[in-house]
Amino acid sequence: MENTSALLIRAMAFAAHKHRNQRRKDADASPYINHPIALANVLANEAGIADPVVLVAALLHDTIEDTDTTHAELEAQFGPAIAAVVAEVTDDKSLPKDERKRLQIEHAAHISPAAKLVKLADKICNLRDVASSPPADWSVDRKREYFDWARSVIDQMRGAHPALEQLFDVAFRERT
Ligand code: NDP
Ligand code: ZN
């Protein structure tokens, strides 16, 4: 039986490989893998979450949405529980962007407890990024819109994890 450290490191290596040619949208074009690692770090070290399903799903959370990774591949590599959480936080990229944004708000209350934790960490990390290293071409209005939309998503899952919600609220204070 694989131990938790080995599983986490295997997930990190898998995500690093899948995202190897991608960069974040900040001016420095940071390595993409910094973002999934940041989610896992918030969950484990700021919110004290130890559930490997949550931590591994955080490391893998953008692999289906942003790389050629399939649900079946995650199931084979990491099992059905982790694959299901990643699927729950994956947007349907065949839909227009505005529709995807609206559906995140609509679905947020109805996803599993583990998926809510990953979603909270994702929004915490993205608000921190928009505040400290935003996409290079974003206007103040666009940053505000992003903050407000993220808040609309998180407001649908209040009560899921008070400590993570508090971290979100602290990040939200940086709205300009
Ligand atoms: P995107 O969804 O394209 O960009 C935000 C996403 O990019 C984040 O959720 C994050 O997703 C990822 N990301 C990568 N690097 C960074 C970074 N450094 N900081 C923060 N996030 C990063 O853009 P929008 O959210 O703006 O979505 C488009 C919407 O914006 C449309 O619905 C439209 O209505 C609106 N819009 C507004 C404009 C304006 O000027 N006000 C102009 C154009 C569109 P992940 O965690 O998945 O990587
Ligand atoms: Zn993300």
Side-chain angles (χ1 to χ4, degrees):
M1 186 62 187
E2 186 181 34
N3 71 44
T4 303
S5 304
L7 170 65
L8 283 167
I9 292 167
R10 189 163 64 80
M12 216 177 291
F14 180 95
H17 179 72
K18 290 293 191 173
H19 292 297
R20 66 193 178 284
N21 294 320
Q22 297 173 332
R23 295 290 178 273
R24 301 294 288 168
K25 297 172 182 170
D26 59 292
D28 292 343
S30 308
Y32 199 93
I33 191 62
N34 291 9
H35 168 67
I37 292 173
L39 265 69
N41 192 44
V42 164
L43 291 163
N45 296 311
E46 296 186 51
I49 290 161
D51 181 353
V53 170
V54 174
L55 300 178
V56 171
L59 289 169
L60 301 174
H61 82 279
D62 276 331
T63 57
I64 297 179
E65 196 170 299
D66 293 333
T67 79
D68 63 3
T69 308
T70 63
H71 184 266
E73 189 178 3
L74 292 186
E75 265 193 339
Q77 293 286 327
F78 299 100
I82 288 166
V85 175
V86 176
E88 284 186 280
V89 299
T90 298
D91 281 357
D92 179 352
K93 276 200 157 171
S94 71
L95 298 172
K97 257 193 175 175
D98 284 4
E99 175 76 351
R100 274 149 53 189
K101 297 248 162 207
R102 194 183 63 70
L103 285 174
Q104 279 207 33
I105 300 170
E106 197 174 300
H107 291 159
H110 311 293
I111 61 179
S112 68
K116 285 180 183 172
L117 303 185
V118 174
K119 179 83 54 189
L120 271 157
D122 197 26
K123 295 296 183 269
I124 291 164
C125 290
N126 282 335
L127 285 199
R128 288 177 181 178
D129 284 349
V130 170
S132 67
S133 49
D137 58 343
W138 280 23
S139 64
V140 171
D141 272 1
R142 180 128 187 214
K143 292 183 206 173
R144 283 182 186 146
E145 256 180 54
Y146 191 88
F147 268 66
D148 293 344
W149 167 73
R151 173 126 180 215
S152 302
V153 175
I154 296 311
D155 279 348
Q156 300 304 311
M157 47 177 81
R158 293 283 171 184
H161 195 285
L164 278 174
E165 288 158 49
Q166 174 68 19
L167 291 170
F168 178 86
D169 293 336
V170 169
F172 190 85
R173 285 186 210 141
E174 299 306 310
R175 184 185 188 278
T176 47

mmCIF file of all heavy atoms in Angstrom, residues 60-103:
data_model
loop_
_atom_site.group_PDB
_atom_site.id
_atom_site.type_symbol
_atom_site.label_atom_id
_atom_site.label_comp_id
_atom_site.label_asym_id
_atom_site.label_seq_id
_atom_site.Cartn_x
_atom_site.Cartn_y
_atom_site.Cartn_z
ATOM 1 N N LEU A 60 -4.049 18.207 -8.519
ATOM 2 C CA LEU A 60 -4.476 17.787 -9.872
ATOM 3 C C LEU A 60 -5.603 18.650 -10.425
ATOM 4 O O LEU A 60 -6.087 18.391 -11.525
ATOM 5 C CB LEU A 60 -4.945 16.325 -9.816
ATOM 6 C CG LEU A 60 -3.930 15.293 -9.327
ATOM 7 C CD1 LEU A 60 -4.602 13.923 -9.199
ATOM 8 C CD2 LEU A 60 -2.725 15.209 -10.269
ATOM 9 N N HIS A 61 -6.028 19.718 -9.687
ATOM 10 C CA HIS A 61 -7.336 20.316 -9.970
ATOM 11 C C HIS A 61 -7.474 20.932 -11.354
ATOM 12 O O HIS A 61 -8.580 21.029 -11.873
ATOM 13 C CB HIS A 61 -7.720 21.341 -8.886
ATOM 14 C CG HIS A 61 -7.112 22.698 -9.061
ATOM 15 N ND1 HIS A 61 -5.833 23.008 -8.673
ATOM 16 C CD2 HIS A 61 -7.609 23.838 -9.619
ATOM 17 C CE1 HIS A 61 -5.578 24.278 -8.953
ATOM 18 N NE2 HIS A 61 -6.626 24.799 -9.535
ATOM 19 N N ASP A 62 -6.378 21.357 -11.966
ATOM 20 C CA ASP A 62 -6.476 21.972 -13.296
ATOM 21 C C ASP A 62 -5.998 21.038 -14.411
ATOM 22 O O ASP A 62 -5.870 21.475 -15.563
ATOM 23 C CB ASP A 62 -5.662 23.282 -13.335
ATOM 24 C CG ASP A 62 -6.439 24.483 -12.792
ATOM 25 O OD1 ASP A 62 -7.684 24.487 -12.888
ATOM 26 O OD2 ASP A 62 -5.797 25.422 -12.276
ATOM 27 N N THR A 63 -5.755 19.765 -14.115
ATOM 28 C CA THR A 63 -5.189 18.894 -15.168
ATOM 29 C C THR A 63 -6.210 18.563 -16.255
ATOM 30 O O THR A 63 -5.859 18.532 -17.439
ATOM 31 C CB THR A 63 -4.605 17.578 -14.596
ATOM 32 O OG1 THR A 63 -5.622 16.879 -13.856
ATOM 33 C CG2 THR A 63 -3.400 17.836 -13.716
ATOM 34 N N ILE A 64 -7.466 18.307 -15.885
ATOM 35 C CA ILE A 64 -8.460 17.989 -16.932
ATOM 36 C C ILE A 64 -8.817 19.258 -17.701
ATOM 37 O O ILE A 64 -8.888 19.251 -18.930
ATOM 38 C CB ILE A 64 -9.726 17.346 -16.332
ATOM 39 C CG1 ILE A 64 -9.392 16.005 -15.656
ATOM 40 C CG2 ILE A 64 -10.769 17.125 -17.423
ATOM 41 C CD1 ILE A 64 -10.594 15.308 -15.015
ATOM 42 N N GLU A 65 -8.993 20.361 -16.961
ATOM 43 C CA GLU A 65 -9.416 21.614 -17.601
ATOM 44 C C GLU A 65 -8.350 22.177 -18.535
ATOM 45 O O GLU A 65 -8.669 22.706 -19.594
ATOM 46 C CB GLU A 65 -9.760 22.633 -16.515
ATOM 47 C CG GLU A 65 -10.556 23.812 -17.018
ATOM 48 C CD GLU A 65 -11.080 24.665 -15.863
ATOM 49 O OE1 GLU A 65 -11.859 24.149 -15.036
ATOM 50 O OE2 GLU A 65 -10.693 25.842 -15.776
ATOM 51 N N ASP A 66 -7.105 22.077 -18.155
ATOM 52 C CA ASP A 66 -6.060 22.827 -18.876
ATOM 53 C C ASP A 66 -4.990 21.976 -19.554
ATOM 54 O O ASP A 66 -4.042 22.533 -20.115
ATOM 55 C CB ASP A 66 -5.371 23.810 -17.905
ATOM 56 C CG ASP A 66 -6.316 24.908 -17.440
ATOM 57 O OD1 ASP A 66 -7.257 25.224 -18.189
ATOM 58 O OD2 ASP A 66 -6.123 25.437 -16.336
ATOM 59 N N THR A 67 -5.099 20.650 -19.501
ATOM 60 C CA THR A 67 -4.128 19.796 -20.202
ATOM 61 C C THR A 67 -4.893 18.661 -20.902
ATOM 62 O O THR A 67 -6.114 18.596 -20.828
ATOM 63 C CB THR A 67 -3.068 19.186 -19.240
ATOM 64 O OG1 THR A 67 -3.625 18.070 -18.546
ATOM 65 C CG2 THR A 67 -2.542 20.205 -18.243
ATOM 66 N N ASP A 68 -4.167 17.739 -21.526
ATOM 67 C CA ASP A 68 -4.823 16.642 -22.244
ATOM 68 C C ASP A 68 -5.273 15.510 -21.312
ATOM 69 O O ASP A 68 -5.743 14.469 -21.759
ATOM 70 C CB ASP A 68 -3.870 16.087 -23.318
ATOM 71 C CG ASP A 68 -2.595 15.485 -22.705
ATOM 72 O OD1 ASP A 68 -2.466 15.435 -21.448
ATOM 73 O OD2 ASP A 68 -1.717 15.069 -23.480
ATOM 74 N N THR A 69 -5.152 15.701 -20.006
ATOM 75 C CA THR A 69 -5.510 14.649 -19.039
ATOM 76 C C THR A 69 -7.004 14.332 -19.093
ATOM 77 O O THR A 69 -7.829 15.244 -19.153
ATOM 78 C CB THR A 69 -5.155 15.126 -17.614
ATOM 79 O OG1 THR A 69 -3.793 15.556 -17.609
ATOM 80 C CG2 THR A 69 -5.341 14.007 -16.596
ATOM 81 N N THR A 70 -7.334 13.047 -19.043
ATOM 82 C CA THR A 70 -8.746 12.640 -19.032
ATOM 83 C C THR A 70 -9.146 12.147 -17.640
ATOM 84 O O THR A 70 -8.296 11.781 -16.821
ATOM 85 C CB THR A 70 -8.994 11.490 -20.026
ATOM 86 O OG1 THR A 70 -8.223 10.349 -19.604
ATOM 87 C CG2 THR A 70 -8.614 11.883 -21.445
ATOM 88 N N HIS A 71 -10.459 12.137 -17.429
ATOM 89 C CA HIS A 71 -11.004 11.596 -16.179
ATOM 90 C C HIS A 71 -10.560 10.137 -16.009
ATOM 91 O O HIS A 71 -10.155 9.723 -14.915
ATOM 92 C CB HIS A 71 -12.524 11.721 -16.209
ATOM 93 C CG HIS A 71 -13.188 11.292 -14.942
ATOM 94 N ND1 HIS A 71 -13.680 10.019 -14.758
ATOM 95 C CD2 HIS A 71 -13.420 11.950 -13.784
ATOM 96 C CE1 HIS A 71 -14.194 9.928 -13.545
ATOM 97 N NE2 HIS A 71 -14.056 11.088 -12.932
ATOM 98 N N ALA A 72 -10.606 9.370 -17.091
ATOM 99 C CA ALA A 72 -10.227 7.947 -17.031
ATOM 100 C C ALA A 72 -8.763 7.786 -16.603
ATOM 101 O O ALA A 72 -8.420 6.878 -15.829
ATOM 102 C CB ALA A 72 -10.451 7.293 -18.393
ATOM 103 N N GLU A 73 -7.924 8.689 -17.078
ATOM 104 C CA GLU A 73 -6.498 8.633 -16.724
ATOM 105 C C GLU A 73 -6.315 8.906 -15.225
ATOM 106 O O GLU A 73 -5.549 8.209 -14.541
ATOM 107 C CB GLU A 73 -5.770 9.688 -17.567
ATOM 108 C CG GLU A 73 -4.262 9.645 -17.498
ATOM 109 C CD GLU A 73 -3.642 10.695 -18.413
ATOM 110 O OE1 GLU A 73 -4.384 11.489 -19.052
ATOM 111 O OE2 GLU A 73 -2.398 10.742 -18.461
ATOM 112 N N LEU A 74 -7.031 9.898 -14.702
ATOM 113 C CA LEU A 74 -6.934 10.181 -13.257
ATOM 114 C C LEU A 74 -7.476 9.010 -12.437
ATOM 115 O O LEU A 74 -6.905 8.656 -11.401
ATOM 116 C CB LEU A 74 -7.678 11.467 -12.893
ATOM 117 C CG LEU A 74 -7.086 12.781 -13.410
ATOM 118 C CD1 LEU A 74 -7.870 13.961 -12.828
ATOM 119 C CD2 LEU A 74 -5.602 12.919 -13.077
ATOM 120 N N GLU A 75 -8.544 8.409 -12.911
ATOM 121 C CA GLU A 75 -9.098 7.236 -12.210
ATOM 122 C C GLU A 75 -8.077 6.109 -12.150
ATOM 123 O O GLU A 75 -7.884 5.479 -11.113
ATOM 124 C CB GLU A 75 -10.357 6.731 -12.930
ATOM 125 C CG GLU A 75 -11.627 7.284 -12.354
ATOM 126 C CD GLU A 75 -12.859 6.533 -12.867
ATOM 127 O OE1 GLU A 75 -12.779 5.877 -13.924
ATOM 128 O OE2 GLU A 75 -13.896 6.637 -12.205
ATOM 129 N N ALA A 76 -7.426 5.868 -13.279
ATOM 130 C CA ALA A 76 -6.447 4.775 -13.343
ATOM 131 C C ALA A 76 -5.241 5.071 -12.459
ATOM 132 O O ALA A 76 -4.708 4.179 -11.788
ATOM 133 C CB ALA A 76 -6.013 4.551 -14.792
ATOM 134 N N GLN A 77 -4.807 6.321 -12.437
ATOM 135 C CA GLN A 77 -3.597 6.690 -11.701
ATOM 136 C C GLN A 77 -3.854 6.953 -10.212
ATOM 137 O O GLN A 77 -2.991 6.680 -9.389
ATOM 138 C CB GLN A 77 -2.986 7.970 -12.309
ATOM 139 C CG GLN A 77 -2.429 7.791 -13.713
ATOM 140 C CD GLN A 77 -1.127 7.018 -13.725
ATOM 141 O OE1 GLN A 77 -0.333 7.110 -12.795
ATOM 142 N NE2 GLN A 77 -0.930 6.219 -14.760
ATOM 143 N N PHE A 78 -5.010 7.532 -9.891
ATOM 144 C CA PHE A 78 -5.247 8.009 -8.519
ATOM 145 C C PHE A 78 -6.533 7.485 -7.879
ATOM 146 O O PHE A 78 -6.810 7.801 -6.722
ATOM 147 C CB PHE A 78 -5.222 9.547 -8.497
ATOM 148 C CG PHE A 78 -3.892 10.111 -8.937
ATOM 149 C CD1 PHE A 78 -3.729 10.598 -10.233
ATOM 150 C CD2 PHE A 78 -2.795 10.108 -8.088
ATOM 151 C CE1 PHE A 78 -2.496 11.086 -10.654
ATOM 152 C CE2 PHE A 78 -1.561 10.597 -8.498
ATOM 153 C CZ PHE A 78 -1.409 11.084 -9.787
ATOM 154 N N GLY A 79 -7.309 6.715 -8.634
ATOM 155 C CA GLY A 79 -8.527 6.124 -8.081
ATOM 156 C C GLY A 79 -9.755 6.996 -8.290
ATOM 157 O O GLY A 79 -9.644 8.192 -8.556
ATOM 158 N N PRO A 80 -10.944 6.390 -8.131
ATOM 159 C CA PRO A 80 -12.195 7.084 -8.449
ATOM 160 C C PRO A 80 -12.522 8.254 -7.526
ATOM 161 O O PRO A 80 -13.134 9.229 -7.977
ATOM 162 C CB PRO A 80 -13.265 5.988 -8.337
ATOM 163 C CG PRO A 80 -12.619 4.860 -7.608
ATOM 164 C CD PRO A 80 -11.153 4.968 -7.817
ATOM 165 N N ALA A 81 -12.144 8.199 -6.252
ATOM 166 C CA ALA A 81 -12.523 9.276 -5.325
ATOM 167 C C ALA A 81 -11.825 10.580 -5.710
ATOM 168 O O ALA A 81 -12.459 11.648 -5.797
ATOM 169 C CB ALA A 81 -12.180 8.882 -3.890
ATOM 170 N N ILE A 82 -10.517 10.509 -5.956
ATOM 171 C CA ILE A 82 -9.756 11.705 -6.329
ATOM 172 C C ILE A 82 -10.198 12.204 -7.712
ATOM 173 O O ILE A 82 -10.427 13.409 -7.911
ATOM 174 C CB ILE A 82 -8.243 11.401 -6.285
ATOM 175 C CG1 ILE A 82 -7.786 11.277 -4.815
ATOM 176 C CG2 ILE A 82 -7.436 12.461 -7.036
ATOM 177 C CD1 ILE A 82 -6.410 10.665 -4.624
ATOM 178 N N ALA A 83 -10.365 11.291 -8.657
ATOM 179 C CA ALA A 83 -10.801 11.686 -10.011
ATOM 180 C C ALA A 83 -12.154 12.393 -9.953
ATOM 181 O O ALA A 83 -12.381 13.378 -10.666
ATOM 182 C CB ALA A 83 -10.873 10.465 -10.918
ATOM 183 N N ALA A 84 -13.041 11.924 -9.087
ATOM 184 C CA ALA A 84 -14.380 12.533 -8.989
ATOM 185 C C ALA A 84 -14.292 13.967 -8.471
ATOM 186 O O ALA A 84 -15.005 14.856 -8.957
ATOM 187 C CB ALA A 84 -15.268 11.696 -8.068
ATOM 188 N N VAL A 85 -13.415 14.216 -7.484
ATOM 189 C CA VAL A 85 -13.283 15.579 -6.954
ATOM 190 C C VAL A 85 -12.718 16.507 -8.033
ATOM 191 O O VAL A 85 -13.206 17.628 -8.226
ATOM 192 C CB VAL A 85 -12.401 15.610 -5.689
ATOM 193 C CG1 VAL A 85 -12.175 17.051 -5.218
ATOM 194 C CG2 VAL A 85 -13.033 14.775 -4.578
ATOM 195 N N VAL A 86 -11.716 16.045 -8.770
ATOM 196 C CA VAL A 86 -11.154 16.881 -9.850
ATOM 197 C C VAL A 86 -12.247 17.183 -10.882
ATOM 198 O O VAL A 86 -12.391 18.326 -11.327
ATOM 199 C CB VAL A 86 -9.934 16.210 -10.510
ATOM 200 C CG1 VAL A 86 -9.428 17.043 -11.687
ATOM 201 C CG2 VAL A 86 -8.811 16.017 -9.477
ATOM 202 N N ALA A 87 -13.040 16.173 -11.229
ATOM 203 C CA ALA A 87 -14.118 16.390 -12.213
ATOM 204 C C ALA A 87 -15.108 17.446 -11.711
ATOM 205 O O ALA A 87 -15.575 18.283 -12.489
ATOM 206 C CB ALA A 87 -14.840 15.077 -12.489
ATOM 207 N N GLU A 88 -15.380 17.441 -10.409
ATOM 208 C CA GLU A 88 -16.339 18.408 -9.850
ATOM 209 C C GLU A 88 -15.848 19.851 -9.931
ATOM 210 O O GLU A 88 -16.655 20.770 -9.934
ATOM 211 C CB GLU A 88 -16.597 18.090 -8.370
ATOM 212 C CG GLU A 88 -17.491 16.900 -8.121
ATOM 213 C CD GLU A 88 -17.787 16.794 -6.638
ATOM 214 O OE1 GLU A 88 -16.918 16.281 -5.888
ATOM 215 O OE2 GLU A 88 -18.861 17.231 -6.207
ATOM 216 N N VAL A 89 -14.538 20.048 -9.943
ATOM 217 C CA VAL A 89 -14.011 21.425 -10.007
ATOM 218 C C VAL A 89 -13.520 21.774 -11.416
ATOM 219 O O VAL A 89 -12.818 22.762 -11.601
ATOM 220 C CB VAL A 89 -12.905 21.672 -8.949
ATOM 221 C CG1 VAL A 89 -13.448 21.467 -7.542
ATOM 222 C CG2 VAL A 89 -11.679 20.786 -9.198
ATOM 223 N N THR A 90 -13.914 20.965 -12.395
ATOM 224 C CA THR A 90 -13.506 21.203 -13.775
ATOM 225 C C THR A 90 -14.635 21.887 -14.539
ATOM 226 O O THR A 90 -15.750 21.383 -14.576
ATOM 227 C CB THR A 90 -13.150 19.857 -14.450
ATOM 228 O OG1 THR A 90 -12.037 19.279 -13.748
ATOM 229 C CG2 THR A 90 -12.788 20.046 -15.913
ATOM 230 N N ASP A 91 -14.329 23.041 -15.154
ATOM 231 C CA ASP A 91 -15.315 23.733 -15.999
ATOM 232 C C ASP A 91 -15.438 23.018 -17.334
ATOM 233 O O ASP A 91 -14.465 22.443 -17.830
ATOM 234 C CB ASP A 91 -14.844 25.171 -16.292
ATOM 235 C CG ASP A 91 -15.094 26.117 -15.130
ATOM 236 O OD1 ASP A 91 -15.683 25.711 -14.115
ATOM 237 O OD2 ASP A 91 -14.682 27.293 -15.258
ATOM 238 N N ASP A 92 -16.616 23.098 -17.924
ATOM 239 C CA ASP A 92 -16.842 22.574 -19.276
ATOM 240 C C ASP A 92 -16.379 23.636 -20.269
ATOM 241 O O ASP A 92 -17.054 24.642 -20.490
ATOM 242 C CB ASP A 92 -18.336 22.268 -19.449
ATOM 243 C CG ASP A 92 -18.650 21.742 -20.842
ATOM 244 O OD1 ASP A 92 -17.763 21.761 -21.714
ATOM 245 O OD2 ASP A 92 -19.800 21.310 -21.040
ATOM 246 N N LYS A 93 -15.207 23.381 -20.873
ATOM 247 C CA LYS A 93 -14.601 24.398 -21.741
ATOM 248 C C LYS A 93 -15.301 24.536 -23.093
ATOM 249 O O LYS A 93 -14.953 25.415 -23.878
ATOM 250 C CB LYS A 93 -13.111 24.111 -21.930
ATOM 251 C CG LYS A 93 -12.266 24.656 -20.790
ATOM 252 C CD LYS A 93 -10.820 24.796 -21.218
ATOM 253 C CE LYS A 93 -10.069 25.794 -20.384
ATOM 254 N NZ LYS A 93 -8.621 25.752 -20.674
ATOM 255 N N SER A 94 -16.294 23.660 -23.366
ATOM 256 C CA SER A 94 -17.039 23.811 -24.623
ATOM 257 C C SER A 94 -18.079 24.938 -24.484
ATOM 258 O O SER A 94 -18.656 25.374 -25.471
ATOM 259 C CB SER A 94 -17.721 22.498 -24.998
ATOM 260 O OG SER A 94 -18.795 22.241 -24.106
ATOM 261 N N LEU A 95 -18.305 25.405 -23.248
ATOM 262 C CA LEU A 95 -19.291 26.472 -23.029
ATOM 263 C C LEU A 95 -18.612 27.843 -23.103
ATOM 264 O O LEU A 95 -17.423 27.961 -22.811
ATOM 265 C CB LEU A 95 -19.933 26.310 -21.641
ATOM 266 C CG LEU A 95 -20.707 25.012 -21.408
ATOM 267 C CD1 LEU A 95 -21.127 24.904 -19.938
ATOM 268 C CD2 LEU A 95 -21.920 24.929 -22.327
ATOM 269 N N PRO A 96 -19.375 28.886 -23.458
ATOM 270 C CA PRO A 96 -18.814 30.242 -23.451
ATOM 271 C C PRO A 96 -18.392 30.638 -22.031
ATOM 272 O O PRO A 96 -18.980 30.168 -21.052
ATOM 273 C CB PRO A 96 -19.973 31.123 -23.922
ATOM 274 C CG PRO A 96 -21.037 30.216 -24.406
ATOM 275 C CD PRO A 96 -20.784 28.846 -23.861
ATOM 276 N N LYS A 97 -17.404 31.546 -21.953
ATOM 277 C CA LYS A 97 -16.833 31.918 -20.647
ATOM 278 C C LYS A 97 -17.868 32.438 -19.658
ATOM 279 O O LYS A 97 -17.845 32.080 -18.483
ATOM 280 C CB LYS A 97 -15.752 32.992 -20.851
ATOM 281 C CG LYS A 97 -14.354 32.420 -20.754
ATOM 282 C CD LYS A 97 -13.313 33.520 -20.627
ATOM 283 C CE LYS A 97 -11.953 32.896 -20.411
ATOM 284 N NZ LYS A 97 -10.871 33.896 -20.390
ATOM 285 N N ASP A 98 -18.768 33.291 -20.132
ATOM 286 C CA ASP A 98 -19.765 33.864 -19.219
ATOM 287 C C ASP A 98 -20.658 32.781 -18.629
ATOM 288 O O ASP A 98 -21.034 32.851 -17.452
ATOM 289 C CB ASP A 98 -20.627 34.910 -19.943
ATOM 290 C CG ASP A 98 -19.879 36.210 -20.142
ATOM 291 O OD1 ASP A 98 -18.678 36.268 -19.788
ATOM 292 O OD2 ASP A 98 -20.477 37.175 -20.657
ATOM 293 N N GLU A 99 -20.987 31.801 -19.468
ATOM 294 C CA GLU A 99 -21.821 30.680 -19.025
ATOM 295 C C GLU A 99 -21.074 29.841 -17.968
ATOM 296 O O GLU A 99 -21.630 29.427 -16.950
ATOM 297 C CB GLU A 99 -22.174 29.830 -20.256
ATOM 298 C CG GLU A 99 -22.943 28.569 -19.973
ATOM 299 C CD GLU A 99 -24.413 28.810 -19.671
ATOM 300 O OE1 GLU A 99 -24.800 29.982 -19.512
ATOM 301 O OE2 GLU A 99 -25.153 27.816 -19.556
ATOM 302 N N ARG A 100 -19.776 29.617 -18.226
ATOM 303 C CA ARG A 100 -18.969 28.859 -17.256
ATOM 304 C C ARG A 100 -18.930 29.568 -15.912
ATOM 305 O O ARG A 100 -19.034 28.950 -14.848
ATOM 306 C CB ARG A 100 -17.546 28.681 -17.797
ATOM 307 C CG ARG A 100 -17.417 27.462 -18.689
ATOM 308 C CD ARG A 100 -16.388 27.623 -19.773
ATOM 309 N NE ARG A 100 -15.077 28.021 -19.319
ATOM 310 C CZ ARG A 100 -14.094 28.372 -20.163
ATOM 311 N NH1 ARG A 100 -14.290 28.363 -21.464
ATOM 312 N NH2 ARG A 100 -12.932 28.732 -19.689
ATOM 313 N N LYS A 101 -18.786 30.888 -15.963
ATOM 314 C CA LYS A 101 -18.723 31.671 -14.717
ATOM 315 C C LYS A 101 -20.052 31.571 -13.965
ATOM 316 O O LYS A 101 -20.081 31.408 -12.746
ATOM 317 C CB LYS A 101 -18.440 33.145 -15.044
ATOM 318 C CG LYS A 101 -17.105 33.354 -15.718
ATOM 319 C CD LYS A 101 -16.171 34.102 -14.806
ATOM 320 C CE LYS A 101 -14.761 33.926 -15.290
ATOM 321 N NZ LYS A 101 -13.758 34.035 -14.282
ATOM 322 N N ARG A 102 -21.147 31.662 -14.712
ATOM 323 C CA ARG A 102 -22.478 31.592 -14.103
ATOM 324 C C ARG A 102 -22.702 30.210 -13.487
ATOM 325 O O ARG A 102 -23.222 30.078 -12.386
ATOM 326 C CB ARG A 102 -23.526 31.872 -15.192
ATOM 327 C CG ARG A 102 -24.925 32.161 -14.679
ATOM 328 C CD ARG A 102 -25.911 32.351 -15.832
ATOM 329 N NE ARG A 102 -26.073 31.166 -16.663
ATOM 330 C CZ ARG A 102 -26.684 30.047 -16.284
ATOM 331 N NH1 ARG A 102 -27.186 29.949 -15.063
ATOM 332 N NH2 ARG A 102 -26.782 29.011 -17.107
ATOM 333 N N LEU A 103 -22.277 29.168 -14.199
ATOM 334 C CA LEU A 103 -22.476 27.801 -13.696
ATOM 335 C C LEU A 103 -21.666 27.534 -12.435
ATOM 336 O O LEU A 103 -22.099 26.777 -11.566
ATOM 337 C CB LEU A 103 -22.124 26.781 -14.786
ATOM 338 C CG LEU A 103 -23.168 26.652 -15.906
ATOM 339 C CD1 LEU A 103 -22.645 25.736 -17.008
ATOM 340 C CD2 LEU A 103 -24.496 26.144 -15.362
#
